[in-house]
Structures are given as structure tokens and as C-alpha cells.
Short mmCIF file of all heavy atoms in Angstrom, two decimals:
data_model
loop_
_atom_site.label_atom_id
_atom_site.label_comp_id
_atom_site.label_asym_id
_atom_site.label_seq_id
_atom_site.Cartn_x
_atom_site.Cartn_y
_atom_site.Cartn_z
N MET A 1 85.58 39.06 -5.36
CA MET A 1 84.41 38.72 -6.15
C MET A 1 84.84 37.81 -7.29
O MET A 1 85.66 36.95 -7.14
CB MET A 1 83.76 39.99 -6.71
CG MET A 1 83.38 40.98 -5.63
SD MET A 1 82.28 40.27 -4.39
CE MET A 1 81.28 41.69 -4.02
N GLY A 2 84.38 38.01 -8.46
CA GLY A 2 84.80 37.13 -9.54
C GLY A 2 84.01 37.40 -10.78
O GLY A 2 83.73 38.56 -11.10
N THR A 3 83.66 36.36 -11.44
CA THR A 3 82.92 36.53 -12.68
C THR A 3 81.52 37.05 -12.41
O THR A 3 80.85 36.62 -11.48
CB THR A 3 82.82 35.20 -13.44
OG1 THR A 3 82.24 34.24 -12.58
CG2 THR A 3 84.19 34.74 -13.88
N GLU A 4 81.12 37.92 -13.24
CA GLU A 4 79.79 38.47 -13.08
C GLU A 4 78.79 37.60 -13.82
O GLU A 4 78.91 37.40 -15.03
CB GLU A 4 79.74 39.90 -13.62
CG GLU A 4 78.56 40.67 -13.09
CD GLU A 4 78.81 42.17 -13.16
OE1 GLU A 4 79.98 42.57 -13.22
OE2 GLU A 4 77.84 42.91 -13.18
N THR A 5 77.86 37.07 -13.09
CA THR A 5 76.91 36.14 -13.71
C THR A 5 75.77 36.87 -14.38
O THR A 5 75.04 36.31 -15.17
CB THR A 5 76.34 35.20 -12.65
OG1 THR A 5 75.86 35.96 -11.56
CG2 THR A 5 77.40 34.23 -12.17
N GLY A 6 75.63 38.14 -14.06
CA GLY A 6 74.55 38.88 -14.69
C GLY A 6 73.64 39.50 -13.66
O GLY A 6 73.55 39.04 -12.53
N ILE A 7 73.01 40.54 -14.08
CA ILE A 7 72.11 41.26 -13.19
C ILE A 7 70.68 41.01 -13.64
O ILE A 7 70.40 40.89 -14.82
CB ILE A 7 72.43 42.77 -13.23
CG1 ILE A 7 73.85 43.03 -12.71
CG2 ILE A 7 71.42 43.57 -12.42
CD1 ILE A 7 74.06 42.63 -11.27
N CYS A 8 69.83 40.92 -12.67
CA CYS A 8 68.41 40.70 -12.95
C CYS A 8 67.88 41.75 -13.92
O CYS A 8 68.13 42.94 -13.77
CB CYS A 8 67.64 40.77 -11.63
SG CYS A 8 65.87 40.71 -11.83
N GLY A 9 67.18 41.29 -14.93
CA GLY A 9 66.67 42.19 -15.94
C GLY A 9 65.38 42.88 -15.52
O GLY A 9 64.88 43.74 -16.23
N VAL A 10 64.87 42.52 -14.37
CA VAL A 10 63.61 43.13 -13.93
C VAL A 10 63.89 44.27 -12.96
O VAL A 10 63.49 45.40 -13.18
CB VAL A 10 62.70 42.08 -13.26
CG1 VAL A 10 61.44 42.73 -12.72
CG2 VAL A 10 62.35 40.99 -14.26
N CYS A 11 64.61 43.99 -11.89
CA CYS A 11 64.88 45.02 -10.89
C CYS A 11 66.22 45.70 -11.15
O CYS A 11 66.47 46.77 -10.62
CB CYS A 11 64.83 44.43 -9.49
SG CYS A 11 66.10 43.20 -9.17
N ALA A 12 67.06 45.04 -11.95
CA ALA A 12 68.37 45.61 -12.29
C ALA A 12 69.22 45.89 -11.06
O ALA A 12 70.04 46.79 -11.06
CB ALA A 12 68.21 46.87 -13.13
N ARG A 13 69.01 45.16 -10.00
CA ARG A 13 69.77 45.40 -8.79
C ARG A 13 70.38 44.11 -8.25
O ARG A 13 71.51 44.09 -7.81
CB ARG A 13 68.87 46.02 -7.71
CG ARG A 13 68.76 47.50 -7.87
CD ARG A 13 68.29 48.12 -6.57
NE ARG A 13 66.84 47.98 -6.42
CZ ARG A 13 66.19 48.40 -5.35
NH1 ARG A 13 66.84 48.94 -4.35
NH2 ARG A 13 64.90 48.28 -5.27
N ASN A 14 69.63 43.07 -8.26
CA ASN A 14 70.11 41.82 -7.68
C ASN A 14 70.78 40.96 -8.74
O ASN A 14 70.53 41.09 -9.94
CB ASN A 14 68.94 41.05 -7.06
CG ASN A 14 68.28 41.84 -5.95
OD1 ASN A 14 68.96 42.48 -5.16
ND2 ASN A 14 66.96 41.82 -5.90
N GLU A 15 71.58 40.06 -8.27
CA GLU A 15 72.26 39.14 -9.17
C GLU A 15 71.25 38.12 -9.69
O GLU A 15 70.44 37.59 -8.94
CB GLU A 15 73.38 38.44 -8.41
CG GLU A 15 74.28 37.62 -9.31
CD GLU A 15 75.44 37.05 -8.51
OE1 GLU A 15 76.03 37.80 -7.72
OE2 GLU A 15 75.74 35.87 -8.68
N ALA A 16 71.34 37.87 -10.96
CA ALA A 16 70.40 36.93 -11.56
C ALA A 16 70.76 35.51 -11.17
O ALA A 16 71.91 35.09 -11.25
CB ALA A 16 70.40 37.08 -13.08
N ALA A 17 69.77 34.78 -10.73
CA ALA A 17 70.00 33.40 -10.32
C ALA A 17 69.41 32.42 -11.32
O ALA A 17 69.72 31.25 -11.31
CB ALA A 17 69.39 33.17 -8.94
N ARG A 18 68.58 32.92 -12.17
CA ARG A 18 67.90 32.08 -13.16
C ARG A 18 67.44 32.96 -14.29
O ARG A 18 67.65 34.16 -14.26
CB ARG A 18 66.71 31.36 -12.50
CG ARG A 18 65.62 32.34 -12.09
CD ARG A 18 64.64 31.72 -11.14
NE ARG A 18 65.23 31.57 -9.82
CZ ARG A 18 65.57 30.40 -9.29
NH1 ARG A 18 65.37 29.29 -9.94
NH2 ARG A 18 66.10 30.35 -8.10
N GLU A 19 66.77 32.36 -15.24
CA GLU A 19 66.20 33.19 -16.29
C GLU A 19 64.77 32.78 -16.58
O GLU A 19 64.36 31.66 -16.27
CB GLU A 19 67.05 33.13 -17.56
CG GLU A 19 67.39 31.74 -18.01
CD GLU A 19 68.38 31.79 -19.17
OE1 GLU A 19 69.35 32.57 -19.13
OE2 GLU A 19 68.15 31.05 -20.14
N CYS A 20 64.05 33.72 -17.15
CA CYS A 20 62.64 33.48 -17.45
C CYS A 20 62.50 32.34 -18.45
O CYS A 20 63.18 32.31 -19.47
CB CYS A 20 62.03 34.77 -18.00
SG CYS A 20 60.35 34.56 -18.58
N SER A 21 61.60 31.43 -18.15
CA SER A 21 61.40 30.28 -19.04
C SER A 21 60.75 30.70 -20.35
O SER A 21 60.77 29.97 -21.32
CB SER A 21 60.50 29.26 -18.35
OG SER A 21 61.08 28.84 -17.15
N GLU A 22 60.14 31.87 -20.33
CA GLU A 22 59.42 32.32 -21.51
C GLU A 22 60.28 33.20 -22.42
O GLU A 22 60.44 32.94 -23.58
CB GLU A 22 58.16 33.07 -21.10
CG GLU A 22 57.09 32.20 -20.51
CD GLU A 22 56.54 31.22 -21.53
OE1 GLU A 22 56.15 31.63 -22.62
OE2 GLU A 22 56.50 30.00 -21.22
N CYS A 23 60.81 34.27 -21.86
CA CYS A 23 61.54 35.23 -22.70
C CYS A 23 63.04 35.18 -22.48
O CYS A 23 63.80 35.77 -23.23
CB CYS A 23 61.00 36.64 -22.46
SG CYS A 23 61.33 37.27 -20.81
N GLY A 24 63.48 34.48 -21.43
CA GLY A 24 64.91 34.30 -21.23
C GLY A 24 65.60 35.45 -20.53
O GLY A 24 66.83 35.48 -20.44
N ILE A 25 64.84 36.37 -20.02
CA ILE A 25 65.44 37.50 -19.32
C ILE A 25 66.03 37.01 -17.99
O ILE A 25 65.45 36.13 -17.35
CB ILE A 25 64.36 38.60 -19.09
CG1 ILE A 25 65.00 39.92 -18.69
CG2 ILE A 25 63.37 38.17 -18.02
CD1 ILE A 25 63.98 41.04 -18.57
N PRO A 26 67.18 37.56 -17.60
CA PRO A 26 67.76 37.16 -16.31
C PRO A 26 66.87 37.57 -15.15
O PRO A 26 66.33 38.68 -15.13
CB PRO A 26 69.09 37.92 -16.27
CG PRO A 26 69.37 38.37 -17.65
CD PRO A 26 68.05 38.50 -18.33
N LEU A 27 66.72 36.68 -14.20
CA LEU A 27 65.86 36.94 -13.06
C LEU A 27 66.59 36.65 -11.76
O LEU A 27 67.32 35.67 -11.67
CB LEU A 27 64.61 36.06 -13.12
CG LEU A 27 63.61 36.30 -14.23
CD1 LEU A 27 62.53 35.22 -14.17
CD2 LEU A 27 62.98 37.66 -14.12
N CYS A 28 66.36 37.46 -10.76
CA CYS A 28 66.84 37.13 -9.43
C CYS A 28 65.75 36.33 -8.73
O CYS A 28 64.64 36.20 -9.23
CB CYS A 28 67.16 38.40 -8.64
SG CYS A 28 65.75 39.41 -8.23
N ASP A 29 66.09 35.82 -7.57
CA ASP A 29 65.12 34.99 -6.86
C ASP A 29 63.86 35.76 -6.49
O ASP A 29 62.77 35.22 -6.41
CB ASP A 29 65.75 34.44 -5.59
CG ASP A 29 66.56 33.18 -5.88
OD1 ASP A 29 66.18 32.45 -6.81
OD2 ASP A 29 67.56 32.95 -5.20
N ILE A 30 64.03 37.03 -6.23
CA ILE A 30 62.91 37.84 -5.78
C ILE A 30 61.94 38.12 -6.92
O ILE A 30 60.73 38.12 -6.74
CB ILE A 30 63.42 39.17 -5.19
CG1 ILE A 30 64.27 38.87 -3.96
CG2 ILE A 30 62.27 40.09 -4.83
CD1 ILE A 30 65.17 40.00 -3.54
N CYS A 31 62.48 38.34 -8.10
CA CYS A 31 61.63 38.72 -9.24
C CYS A 31 61.05 37.51 -9.95
O CYS A 31 60.08 37.64 -10.70
CB CYS A 31 62.43 39.57 -10.22
SG CYS A 31 62.90 41.17 -9.53
N ALA A 32 61.64 36.35 -9.76
CA ALA A 32 61.14 35.17 -10.45
C ALA A 32 59.78 34.78 -9.90
O ALA A 32 59.58 34.70 -8.70
CB ALA A 32 62.12 34.02 -10.27
N LYS A 33 58.86 34.58 -10.81
CA LYS A 33 57.52 34.16 -10.41
C LYS A 33 57.33 32.70 -10.80
O LYS A 33 57.63 32.31 -11.92
CB LYS A 33 56.46 35.01 -11.11
CG LYS A 33 56.63 36.49 -10.88
CD LYS A 33 56.40 36.84 -9.43
CE LYS A 33 56.63 38.33 -9.21
NZ LYS A 33 56.61 38.66 -7.77
N GLU A 34 56.84 31.96 -9.88
CA GLU A 34 56.63 30.54 -10.16
C GLU A 34 55.20 30.30 -10.58
O GLU A 34 54.26 30.72 -9.92
CB GLU A 34 56.94 29.73 -8.91
CG GLU A 34 57.00 28.25 -9.19
CD GLU A 34 57.47 27.49 -7.95
OE1 GLU A 34 56.64 27.29 -7.05
OE2 GLU A 34 58.64 27.11 -7.89
N VAL A 35 55.08 29.64 -11.72
CA VAL A 35 53.74 29.30 -12.17
C VAL A 35 53.63 27.79 -12.25
O VAL A 35 54.58 27.10 -12.58
CB VAL A 35 53.43 29.93 -13.55
CG1 VAL A 35 53.29 31.42 -13.43
CG2 VAL A 35 54.46 29.54 -14.57
N LEU A 36 52.46 27.33 -11.96
CA LEU A 36 52.21 25.90 -12.00
C LEU A 36 51.35 25.59 -13.22
O LEU A 36 50.26 26.11 -13.36
CB LEU A 36 51.50 25.47 -10.71
CG LEU A 36 51.37 23.98 -10.51
CD1 LEU A 36 52.74 23.32 -10.37
CD2 LEU A 36 50.55 23.71 -9.26
N LEU A 37 51.90 24.79 -14.09
CA LEU A 37 51.17 24.44 -15.29
C LEU A 37 50.53 23.08 -15.11
O LEU A 37 51.15 22.15 -14.62
CB LEU A 37 52.11 24.39 -16.49
CG LEU A 37 52.85 25.69 -16.79
CD1 LEU A 37 53.77 25.47 -17.97
CD2 LEU A 37 51.89 26.80 -17.07
N GLN A 38 49.31 22.99 -15.53
CA GLN A 38 48.62 21.72 -15.44
C GLN A 38 48.45 21.14 -16.83
O GLN A 38 47.86 21.75 -17.70
CB GLN A 38 47.25 21.93 -14.79
CG GLN A 38 47.34 22.59 -13.43
CD GLN A 38 46.98 21.66 -12.30
OE1 GLN A 38 46.20 20.73 -12.47
NE2 GLN A 38 47.53 21.89 -11.13
N ASP A 39 48.99 19.98 -16.98
CA ASP A 39 48.82 19.31 -18.27
C ASP A 39 47.60 18.40 -18.19
O ASP A 39 47.62 17.40 -17.48
CB ASP A 39 50.05 18.46 -18.58
CG ASP A 39 51.22 19.34 -18.96
OD1 ASP A 39 50.97 20.45 -19.44
OD2 ASP A 39 52.36 18.91 -18.78
N VAL A 40 46.62 18.77 -18.93
CA VAL A 40 45.43 17.93 -18.95
C VAL A 40 45.34 17.29 -20.33
O VAL A 40 45.03 17.94 -21.31
CB VAL A 40 44.16 18.75 -18.66
CG1 VAL A 40 42.95 17.83 -18.64
CG2 VAL A 40 44.30 19.47 -17.33
N SER A 41 45.62 16.05 -20.37
CA SER A 41 45.52 15.36 -21.65
C SER A 41 44.14 14.74 -21.79
O SER A 41 43.60 14.19 -20.84
CB SER A 41 46.61 14.30 -21.78
OG SER A 41 46.84 13.70 -20.54
N PRO A 42 43.59 14.85 -22.98
CA PRO A 42 42.25 14.33 -23.23
C PRO A 42 42.16 12.84 -22.99
O PRO A 42 41.21 12.36 -22.41
CB PRO A 42 41.99 14.64 -24.71
CG PRO A 42 43.21 15.31 -25.23
CD PRO A 42 44.19 15.50 -24.13
N GLY A 43 43.15 12.12 -23.44
CA GLY A 43 43.13 10.68 -23.22
C GLY A 43 43.63 10.37 -21.83
O GLY A 43 44.73 10.72 -21.47
N SER A 44 42.84 9.74 -21.06
CA SER A 44 43.26 9.40 -19.71
C SER A 44 44.43 8.43 -19.74
O SER A 44 44.44 7.48 -20.50
CB SER A 44 42.09 8.79 -18.94
OG SER A 44 42.53 8.38 -17.67
N MET A 45 45.41 8.73 -18.91
CA MET A 45 46.59 7.87 -18.92
C MET A 45 46.53 6.81 -17.83
O MET A 45 47.43 6.01 -17.68
CB MET A 45 47.85 8.72 -18.75
CG MET A 45 48.08 9.63 -19.96
SD MET A 45 49.74 10.26 -20.02
CE MET A 45 49.73 11.37 -18.64
N VAL A 46 45.46 6.87 -17.09
CA VAL A 46 45.34 5.89 -16.02
C VAL A 46 44.72 4.61 -16.56
O VAL A 46 43.60 4.59 -17.04
CB VAL A 46 44.45 6.44 -14.89
CG1 VAL A 46 44.30 5.42 -13.78
CG2 VAL A 46 45.05 7.73 -14.35
N LYS A 47 45.48 3.57 -16.53
CA LYS A 47 44.96 2.29 -17.01
C LYS A 47 44.94 1.29 -15.87
O LYS A 47 45.90 1.20 -15.11
CB LYS A 47 45.85 1.75 -18.13
CG LYS A 47 45.86 2.63 -19.36
CD LYS A 47 46.83 2.08 -20.38
CE LYS A 47 46.96 3.03 -21.56
NZ LYS A 47 48.00 2.59 -22.50
N PRO A 48 43.87 0.58 -15.77
CA PRO A 48 43.80 -0.44 -14.72
C PRO A 48 44.84 -1.52 -14.94
O PRO A 48 45.05 -1.97 -16.06
CB PRO A 48 42.38 -1.01 -14.86
CG PRO A 48 41.87 -0.55 -16.17
CD PRO A 48 42.66 0.66 -16.58
N GLY A 49 45.49 -1.91 -13.90
CA GLY A 49 46.48 -2.97 -14.02
C GLY A 49 47.87 -2.43 -14.24
O GLY A 49 48.85 -3.11 -13.99
N VAL A 50 47.95 -1.20 -14.68
CA VAL A 50 49.26 -0.61 -14.89
C VAL A 50 49.65 0.20 -13.65
O VAL A 50 48.87 1.03 -13.19
CB VAL A 50 49.25 0.32 -16.13
CG1 VAL A 50 50.62 0.97 -16.31
CG2 VAL A 50 48.85 -0.47 -17.35
N SER A 51 50.81 -0.08 -13.17
CA SER A 51 51.24 0.65 -11.98
C SER A 51 51.38 2.13 -12.29
O SER A 51 51.94 2.51 -13.32
CB SER A 51 52.57 0.10 -11.47
OG SER A 51 53.54 0.22 -12.48
N THR A 52 50.86 2.92 -11.39
CA THR A 52 50.88 4.35 -11.63
C THR A 52 52.27 4.91 -11.40
O THR A 52 53.04 4.40 -10.60
CB THR A 52 49.88 5.06 -10.71
OG1 THR A 52 50.13 4.63 -9.38
CG2 THR A 52 48.45 4.73 -11.09
N SER A 53 52.55 5.94 -12.10
CA SER A 53 53.85 6.59 -11.97
C SER A 53 54.01 7.20 -10.58
O SER A 53 53.06 7.75 -10.04
CB SER A 53 53.98 7.67 -13.04
OG SER A 53 55.06 8.51 -12.73
N PRO A 54 55.18 7.10 -10.02
CA PRO A 54 55.44 7.73 -8.72
C PRO A 54 55.31 9.24 -8.80
O PRO A 54 54.94 9.89 -7.84
CB PRO A 54 56.88 7.33 -8.39
CG PRO A 54 57.47 6.88 -9.68
CD PRO A 54 56.34 6.39 -10.53
N LEU A 55 55.58 9.78 -9.96
CA LEU A 55 55.42 11.22 -10.14
C LEU A 55 53.98 11.52 -10.48
O LEU A 55 53.35 10.80 -11.24
CB LEU A 55 56.31 11.71 -11.29
CG LEU A 55 57.81 11.58 -11.05
CD1 LEU A 55 58.56 11.97 -12.31
CD2 LEU A 55 58.26 12.44 -9.89
N ARG A 56 53.51 12.57 -9.91
CA ARG A 56 52.15 12.94 -10.24
C ARG A 56 52.15 13.61 -11.60
O ARG A 56 52.64 14.72 -11.76
CB ARG A 56 51.58 13.89 -9.19
CG ARG A 56 50.13 13.57 -8.91
CD ARG A 56 49.42 14.68 -8.23
NE ARG A 56 50.08 15.10 -6.99
CZ ARG A 56 49.60 16.06 -6.23
NH1 ARG A 56 48.49 16.65 -6.54
NH2 ARG A 56 50.24 16.44 -5.15
N ALA A 57 51.63 12.94 -12.56
CA ALA A 57 51.64 13.48 -13.91
C ALA A 57 50.67 14.65 -14.03
O ALA A 57 49.65 14.69 -13.36
CB ALA A 57 51.25 12.40 -14.90
N GLY A 58 51.01 15.57 -14.85
CA GLY A 58 50.05 16.61 -15.15
C GLY A 58 50.40 17.98 -14.60
O GLY A 58 49.70 18.93 -14.85
N SER A 59 51.48 18.10 -13.87
CA SER A 59 51.80 19.45 -13.40
C SER A 59 53.29 19.73 -13.57
O SER A 59 54.13 18.90 -13.30
CB SER A 59 51.38 19.63 -11.95
OG SER A 59 52.11 18.77 -11.12
N ARG A 60 53.55 20.90 -14.04
CA ARG A 60 54.93 21.35 -14.20
C ARG A 60 55.08 22.71 -13.57
O ARG A 60 54.12 23.48 -13.49
CB ARG A 60 55.28 21.45 -15.69
CG ARG A 60 55.45 20.11 -16.37
CD ARG A 60 55.69 20.33 -17.83
NE ARG A 60 54.51 20.90 -18.49
CZ ARG A 60 54.57 21.73 -19.52
NH1 ARG A 60 55.71 22.09 -20.00
NH2 ARG A 60 53.47 22.18 -20.06
N LYS A 61 56.29 23.01 -13.16
CA LYS A 61 56.53 24.34 -12.61
C LYS A 61 57.44 25.11 -13.55
O LYS A 61 58.30 24.56 -14.20
CB LYS A 61 57.20 24.23 -11.24
CG LYS A 61 56.20 23.97 -10.15
CD LYS A 61 56.90 23.95 -8.82
CE LYS A 61 55.91 23.58 -7.70
NZ LYS A 61 56.61 23.44 -6.42
N LYS A 62 57.21 26.38 -13.58
CA LYS A 62 57.97 27.25 -14.46
C LYS A 62 58.32 28.51 -13.71
O LYS A 62 57.52 29.01 -12.92
CB LYS A 62 57.09 27.63 -15.66
CG LYS A 62 57.55 27.08 -16.98
CD LYS A 62 56.66 27.65 -18.06
CE LYS A 62 57.11 27.19 -19.43
NZ LYS A 62 56.30 27.80 -20.49
N LYS A 63 59.51 29.01 -13.99
CA LYS A 63 59.88 30.30 -13.40
C LYS A 63 59.87 31.33 -14.53
O LYS A 63 60.56 31.17 -15.52
CB LYS A 63 61.26 30.23 -12.78
CG LYS A 63 61.33 29.28 -11.58
CD LYS A 63 60.82 29.97 -10.33
CE LYS A 63 60.89 29.03 -9.16
NZ LYS A 63 61.82 29.42 -8.14
N VAL A 64 59.10 32.35 -14.35
CA VAL A 64 59.00 33.37 -15.37
C VAL A 64 59.13 34.75 -14.75
O VAL A 64 59.05 34.91 -13.53
CB VAL A 64 57.65 33.27 -16.14
CG1 VAL A 64 57.51 31.93 -16.82
CG2 VAL A 64 56.49 33.53 -15.22
N CYS A 65 59.32 35.74 -15.61
CA CYS A 65 59.38 37.11 -15.13
C CYS A 65 57.96 37.64 -14.92
O CYS A 65 57.01 37.08 -15.45
CB CYS A 65 60.15 37.97 -16.13
SG CYS A 65 59.28 38.23 -17.69
N PRO A 66 57.81 38.71 -14.15
CA PRO A 66 56.48 39.27 -13.88
C PRO A 66 55.74 39.64 -15.16
O PRO A 66 54.52 39.52 -15.22
CB PRO A 66 56.79 40.52 -13.05
CG PRO A 66 58.09 40.22 -12.39
CD PRO A 66 58.86 39.39 -13.38
N LYS A 67 56.48 40.08 -16.15
CA LYS A 67 55.86 40.48 -17.40
C LYS A 67 55.20 39.29 -18.09
O LYS A 67 54.06 39.34 -18.52
CB LYS A 67 56.92 41.11 -18.31
CG LYS A 67 56.37 41.72 -19.57
CD LYS A 67 57.41 42.68 -20.16
CE LYS A 67 57.02 43.13 -21.55
NZ LYS A 67 57.32 42.14 -22.57
N CYS A 68 55.96 38.22 -18.17
CA CYS A 68 55.41 37.01 -18.80
C CYS A 68 54.28 36.44 -17.95
O CYS A 68 53.35 35.85 -18.46
CB CYS A 68 56.51 35.97 -18.98
SG CYS A 68 57.68 36.40 -20.28
N MET A 69 54.42 36.61 -16.65
CA MET A 69 53.39 36.14 -15.73
C MET A 69 52.05 36.80 -16.06
O MET A 69 51.00 36.17 -16.05
CB MET A 69 53.81 36.49 -14.30
CG MET A 69 52.83 36.07 -13.25
SD MET A 69 52.99 34.31 -12.93
CE MET A 69 52.06 34.20 -11.40
N GLU A 70 52.13 38.08 -16.39
CA GLU A 70 50.89 38.81 -16.70
C GLU A 70 50.40 38.50 -18.11
O GLU A 70 49.21 38.35 -18.33
CB GLU A 70 51.15 40.32 -16.60
CG GLU A 70 51.18 40.81 -15.17
CD GLU A 70 51.44 42.30 -15.13
OE1 GLU A 70 51.23 42.97 -16.16
OE2 GLU A 70 51.86 42.80 -14.07
N GLU A 71 51.34 38.44 -19.02
CA GLU A 71 50.94 38.34 -20.42
C GLU A 71 50.53 36.93 -20.82
O GLU A 71 49.62 36.72 -21.58
CB GLU A 71 52.07 38.81 -21.32
CG GLU A 71 52.28 40.30 -21.21
CD GLU A 71 53.39 40.76 -22.14
OE1 GLU A 71 54.01 39.90 -22.78
OE2 GLU A 71 53.61 41.98 -22.21
N ALA A 72 51.27 35.97 -20.30
CA ALA A 72 50.99 34.61 -20.70
C ALA A 72 49.71 34.11 -20.07
O ALA A 72 49.41 34.41 -18.93
CB ALA A 72 52.15 33.71 -20.30
N ASP A 73 49.01 33.34 -20.83
CA ASP A 73 47.78 32.77 -20.32
C ASP A 73 48.05 31.32 -19.94
O ASP A 73 48.08 30.45 -20.78
CB ASP A 73 46.69 32.85 -21.38
CG ASP A 73 45.35 32.40 -20.84
OD1 ASP A 73 45.23 32.25 -19.60
OD2 ASP A 73 44.44 32.17 -21.63
N PHE A 74 48.29 31.13 -18.68
CA PHE A 74 48.67 29.78 -18.25
C PHE A 74 47.46 28.96 -17.86
O PHE A 74 47.58 27.79 -17.55
CB PHE A 74 49.61 29.87 -17.06
CG PHE A 74 50.97 30.40 -17.44
CD1 PHE A 74 51.42 31.61 -16.97
CD2 PHE A 74 51.77 29.66 -18.30
CE1 PHE A 74 52.67 32.08 -17.33
CE2 PHE A 74 53.01 30.14 -18.66
CZ PHE A 74 53.46 31.34 -18.18
N MET A 75 46.33 29.60 -17.84
CA MET A 75 45.16 28.83 -17.43
C MET A 75 44.69 28.06 -18.63
O MET A 75 43.73 27.91 -19.06
CB MET A 75 44.08 29.76 -16.89
CG MET A 75 44.59 30.68 -15.80
SD MET A 75 45.22 29.82 -14.37
CE MET A 75 43.67 29.50 -13.52
ZN1 ZN B 19 65.16 41.11 -9.72
ZN1 ZN B 20 59.69 36.68 -19.31
#
């Protein structure tokens, strides 16, 4: 084996592969919840004549723990 990277703070059984974007608790792949955030800016960024970004603006992904998933209001 080797260095211990940490144990998931949610299930306390699996090895943590990431951490919660909100509270920073270690998360394994199973416990990590993916949330999709939509950035809606009031000012439209679409301008005629300007080439649109290859990336679809307005959405981000976040990995959080189940607790933050429930508590945080992502809508
Ligand atoms: Zn876990
Ligand atoms: Zn969290």
C-alpha cells in the first residue's frame, strides 16, 4: 500500500477521491454528489457579430457531499 490519502468523511469506509466543494469534507466517488449550477447573468452576453464561445457559458459542475446537497440552495 502506501500513503493514506484519506477516508471518505461521509461513509467512513471508502478512500476519498475528492472533497466537497462546499465544506471540504473528503468524499469518495460514491458519496460525491454532482450538482449543476446555472449561471444566469442579467446582461446577455450574446452579441451579434461576436463569435460565440466554444464553451457553453452558464453552467458549472460541482461535487459536494450529500449534506451540502440538501442544505445548499442551488436553484
Ligand atoms: Zn463515501
Ligand atoms: Zn459538504
Side-chain angles (χ1 to χ4, degrees):
M1 303 304 215
T3 55
E4 198 157 338
T5 51
I7 297 298
C8 173
V10 177
C11 64
R13 276 200 280 178
N14 299 320
E15 189 175 315
R18 67 195 74 251
E19 50 187 44
C20 174
S21 301
E22 289 294 308
C23 67
I25 194 175
L27 293 174
C28 67
D29 277 328
I30 297 162
C31 294
K33 304 294 178 188
E34 191 174 78
V35 290
L36 189 63
L37 301 178
Q38 304 249 332
D39 287 334
V40 182
S41 36
S44 176
M45 293 196 291
V46 179
K47 296 176 186 174
V50 178
S51 59
T52 51
S53 166
L55 295 174
R56 219 197 305 181
S59 64
R60 287 176 294 148
K61 278 183 184 175
K62 247 185 177 183
K63 294 279 180 114
V64 300
C65 69
K67 187 163 170 280
C68 288
M69 180 78 166
E70 282 180 19
E71 290 182 356
D73 186 12
F74 290 114
M75 307 300 278

